[in-house]
Amino acid sequence: RSARATRRGATLVLFVVFGLFALHSVEIWLYAGLYLMVGALPDFETALYFSTVAFASLGFGDVVLTREWRLVSAIEGMNGLILVGWSTAFLLSLMARLRSLEHDWLER
């Protein structure tokens, strides 16, 4: 019974991790679409690359926006920083809760 609960917990954690990854990917793609739609970047591949680098707050600088769109990339960087941190906190709290439930079950 304990192995079954562990498998169920691991499945839940994997589901949450992949869900968070998918949500962040959608956010990155939406920003890339915005950059492309307003003409800030020439093609979707460049827009997606730039958006990913900005969202992850890496800021390589090999692709740069024009002056009028720089602030959007700064906002995306802050947005990414906050959302990735929030997702990490959520995942850690989920794992702590699962550990606590497992601990409670083992003591019975």
Side-chain angles (χ1 to χ4, degrees):
R1 184 148 166 120
S2 175
R4 191 165 144 206
T6 301
R7 257 183 274 130
R8 197 176 307 155
T11 302
L12 177 63
V13 169
L14 279 175
F15 180 76
V16 169
V17 166
F18 285 127
L20 290 171
F21 183 79
L23 284 173
H24 291 303
S25 296
V26 167
E27 294 158 357
I28 290 168
W29 279 63
L30 287 172
Y31 272 107
L34 172 69
Y35 296 133
L36 193 60
M37 185 177 69
V38 299
L41 292 168
D43 58 78
F44 189 72
E45 188 274 328
T46 303
L48 186 60
Y49 169 77
F50 178 82
S51 181
T52 303
V53 169
F55 193 85
S57 300
L58 296 173
F60 286 145
D62 53 345
V63 178
V64 292
L65 296 179
T66 58
R67 185 179 178 102
E68 62 253 2
W69 297 108
R70 286 191 303 196
L71 189 55
V72 176
S73 67
I75 292 168
E76 181 182 6
M78 287 303 299
N79 188 16
L81 182 68
I82 290 167
L83 291 176
V84 169
W86 193 5
S87 297
T88 302
F90 173 74
L91 184 60
L92 288 176
S93 69
L94 173 71
M95 293 186 69
R97 179 72 176 147
L98 287 173
R99 179 62 101 185
S100 136
L101 289 173
E102 181 181 288
H103 186 322
D104 290 347
W105 181 82
L106 288 174
E107 287 191 0
R108 289 184 191 175

